[in-house]
Every structure is written in C-alpha cells, then in structure tokens.
Amino acid sequence: MTDYIYSIEAKNVNKTYKRKNLEVNALENFNIKIKKGSIHGLLGPNGAGKSTFINILGGLVKKNKGNINICGIDIDKNQKLSKFKIGIVPQELNIDPFFTPFELLELQAGLYGIPKKNRKTEEILDNVGLLDNKNAYARTLSGGMRRRLLVAKALVHSPEMLILDEPTAGVDVELRSMLWNYIRDINNQGTTICLTTHYLEEAEKLCENITILDKGQVIKNDSKINLLNIISTKTVSFDFESKQEIPIELLQFNPKVEKNRLTLSYDKSKVSLSSIINILNKHNIVFLEMSTYESNLENVFTKLISSNGNN
Ligand code: ADP
C-alpha cells in the first residue's frame, strides 16, 4: 500500500469550460491538501468550482493543467487505481428505481471486480440503516433513504477516502444528525472525508479543516478553530433586576441598554469576560443572568466572501 500524508493533494489545477465562444474559468491555480484521516470541508458560494473539482477527482471532468494525487496516486499516471481509492457520493439522487438496495450494491461491487466472498453488502446496508429495506425497490424509498443508499454505494469498494457532495441537502433535521453521526463513524474507522456543504453549521460541526473557495480560487484554507477566530468580537449581555448606571470603565465596550439588559461587545483576543464581570462587582452591580454570543462559521464565511468582491 502506498504511504501518504495527504489523501488529496492538488497543485495549480486549472479548468476552463468552453461553450461556443464563451470561456468559463471554473478553477484557476487551485491548490488544496486534505490530510489523511481528517474531515475536510470544501465551502463556497454557487459557481465557486466545488463540483468541478469533485468531478475531476472522479474522472468525469478533465482538468486543463495541474497535478492531483489521490492517496499518493497521481491521477494522470494511474487513473484506474486512483479511482479505487475514493468513493464519491453525488448530490443528485440518481438511483435506478427498479433495483433494490441489495441488487444495487451487488452490481456496484461487480463493477469494481470485488469477488462475491469479499463483498460486504449486508454489513454496509446495516451501517446506513437500510438492512430492513434491502429488498425494496429504490423507487419506494424516501429521499433520506436514497441518500443513505448513495453513501452505501460509494463505500462498496472500501475506499480510503469518501467525498460527499452536499450530503444533507433536502434532508430533515433528524436524519441530518443521523447522517452526521454516520460520517463521523466512517471517519473514526480511518476513512478520510471531504464534504461540500451549503450548511455552514454542518461544516462547523463536522470539519477539522476548511477550504473556502470563490470564483475558482482558494480564498482561505485553515483549521476550523483558526477560521472561527477571524472574527474576534464577542458579545455579552447582563440582565439586572432594575435599570443600572453604566460604570465609566464599561463605556469602551459599546454598551447598549434595553430595559434591564446591558449588552457589551469586546475583542476576545484582548479582553477577558472575567475582567468585565470584575468591573460590575467593583461597582456592586449584581446581575441575574448572563449570556454570551460568539461569531459562527456563517459570519466568518460571509465576511470572507464579501471581502472577495461579492455582495
Ligand atoms: P459549484 O459546484 O461550486 O457550484 P461548479 O463547479 O458547478 O461550481 O461551477 C463552476 C463554474 O463553472 C460556474 O461558473 C459554472 O457555470 C461553470 N460550469 C460548470 N460546469 C460547466 C459545464 N459543463 N459547461 C460550462 N460551464 C460549466
């Protein structure tokens, strides 16, 4: 087995689509490294180039320039082997309605040349919660079940890396958290995960590292923790029994008063919450409740995308 550090390593990838006399640069000098064993998020607005990159990895779209290694295999030198290393779960629920989940997985295993004795069809169906439906026609499955079936299909050849394109699009809240747990389980068993998502909450929950792309280029590539620290403003609100005079030391924190509530904003990299509380204590101001608010990935994403020349 090839030893490697990055499950995906792409260098200076370019892809231009030509339509009549129109050229679209879908990827321009695109670089990414996805660490083996991680859960990596690929985020970007519509048209950023996410699907193009995934389709290049899957061999459906040909890049114009650049180098890509999948699990240490150069896709230009050994495309067949590199395809064995990854499983891709597409966004569209494109499942033949006349196959049952069992038949579909067996067919897929056959396509990968997996001998019958090495197939894990029932085990995989069980893992995605579809064992009870193994003989049902795919057309009778709900949207959530079809999505799980696509995940199962991508796992048939035990890939070292799983790519999920919008894994929970159109999936209800309950099923979404089940899929998240399942993605974590697959990762815990050693499979590297890359996912694209529109739900920034999803990326925030699952991913250790995140690449944000826009207009075919990487605009940020960092750990989730570092990304969340880009906006260092934190907000704290205190509720009092009655309206309070604001101590002079708190004026620097842009105080806002609404009924018996005082809200302050501060830079968490410079000021600690306890120092604010100490000021209240010094003035013998007793609060009943306190709540804090920190920026989430959505705030950071919006800031980065808008500073890249978008509205
Ligand atoms: P995303 O998945 O981030 O929404 P895409 O990779 O689908 O982005 O698209 C990137 C750009 O490439 C967009 O401007 C899109 O219109 C264009 N594009 C994608 N596929 C094709 C195609 N087959 N022919 C022409 N242009 C395409």
Side-chain angles (χ1 to χ4, degrees):
M1 210 156 101
T2 336
D3 206 17
Y4 59 91
I5 302 169
Y6 298 109
S7 299
I8 301 286
E9 195 172 6
K11 274 190 213 142
N12 297 325
V13 175
N14 281 262
K15 172 65 195 173
T16 306
Y17 292 106
K18 291 199 174 82
R19 247 186 307 187
K20 295 183 184 155
N21 38 15
L22 197 76
E23 286 199 352
V24 181
N25 291 329
L27 292 175
E28 266 187 281
N29 294 329
F30 177 78
N31 295 291
I32 193 170
K33 284 178 179 174
I34 299 180
K35 250 194 240 152
K36 182 182 181 180
S38 65
I39 303 186
H40 195 110
L42 196 57
L43 310 183
N46 274 337
K50 304 178 296 290
S51 305
T52 298
F53 183 60
I54 290 177
N55 287 335
I56 292 172
L57 294 177
L60 299 173
V61 166
K62 277 226 159 308
K63 60 183 166 53
N64 300 107
K65 265 206 317 216
N67 287 91
I68 300 178
N69 281 1
I70 299 178
C71 303
I73 310 290
D74 185 329
I75 64 166
D76 294 323
K77 293 193 177 135
N78 198 340
Q79 192 174 52
K80 200 168 167 210
L81 184 59
S82 72
K83 272 190 178 177
F84 257 89
K85 299 279 180 189
I86 53 169
I88 298 183
V89 184
Q91 210 176 109
E92 322 81 63
L93 302 173
N94 54 347
I95 295 173
D96 191 321
F98 297 104
F99 281 105
T100 67
F102 186 85
E103 289 166 348
L104 196 84
L105 263 55
E106 283 290 309
L107 187 73
Q108 185 77 357
L111 288 176
Y112 275 98
I114 301 165
K116 276 221 151 58
K117 65 173 175 24
N118 294 344
R119 293 184 190 172
K120 299 183 295 182
T121 303
E122 297 220 336
E123 184 188 322
I124 296 171
L125 286 174
D126 195 20
N127 283 340
V128 294
L130 283 178
L131 194 56
D132 289 345
N133 309 82
K134 69 173 188 173
N135 294 322
Y137 283 118
R139 65 168 187 272
T140 67
L141 301 178
S142 68
M145 287 173 168
R146 286 180 203 201
R147 199 163 287 278
R148 281 180 280 157
L149 182 54
L150 285 177
V151 175
K153 195 175 156 201
L155 289 171
V156 154
H157 58 292
S158 310
E160 288 166 47
M161 156 129 219
L162 187 66
I163 297 176
L164 300 128
D165 197 0
E166 296 282 347
T168 60
V171 168
D172 65 39
V173 177
E174 201 183 332
L175 194 65
R176 191 174 300 164
S177 68
M178 188 195 138
L179 274 166
W180 289 347
N181 285 337
Y182 185 53
I183 291 169
R184 282 196 198 98
D185 283 349
I186 299 170
N187 178 249
N188 286 335
Q189 285 160 24
T191 310
T192 309
I193 309 274
C194 172
L195 58 97
T196 74
T197 182
H198 265 87
Y199 298 106
L200 293 164
E201 186 203 345
E202 180 160 282
E204 194 169 335
K205 282 232 159 68
L206 286 176
C207 302
E208 297 157 52
N209 296 305
I210 289 170
T211 301
I212 298 179
L213 67 153
D214 188 25
K215 301 171 192 155
Q217 289 182 319
V218 173
I219 57 166
K220 200 82 196 169
N221 182 41
D222 215 329
S223 67
K224 173 180 64 192
I225 294 171
N226 285 348
L227 280 174
L228 288 173
N229 280 331
I230 286 179
I231 300 180
S232 58
T233 306
K234 204 169 163 174
T235 306
V236 59
S237 295
F238 298 97
D239 288 325
F240 308 110
E241 209 158 59
S242 56
K243 206 166 182 174
Q244 299 289 328
E245 280 289 309
I246 302 170
I248 194 159
E249 301 99 305
L250 293 182
L251 293 181
Q252 57 176 317
F253 302 124
N254 190 23
K256 292 201 171 64
V257 178
E258 199 189 329
K259 290 186 184 155
N260 298 339
R261 169 174 292 190
L262 168 68
T263 301
L264 305 167
S265 306
Y266 62 100
D267 184 336
K268 67 181 178 194
S269 64
K270 298 195 182 110
V271 176
S272 70
L273 181 57
S274 61
S275 65
I276 293 178
I277 294 172
N278 285 343
I279 295 171
L280 291 175
N281 289 342
K282 196 180 108 190
H283 290 266
N284 294 321
I285 300 174
V286 179
F287 57 88
L288 305 172
E289 298 263 358
M290 179 186 82
S291 47
T292 56
Y293 173 78
E294 242 177 301
S295 297
N296 58 19
L297 194 58
E298 184 137 9
N299 305 130
V300 174
F301 180 82
T302 309
K303 182 184 156 101
L304 289 170
I305 294 294
S306 58
S307 57
N308 197 42
N310 298 282
N311 293 320

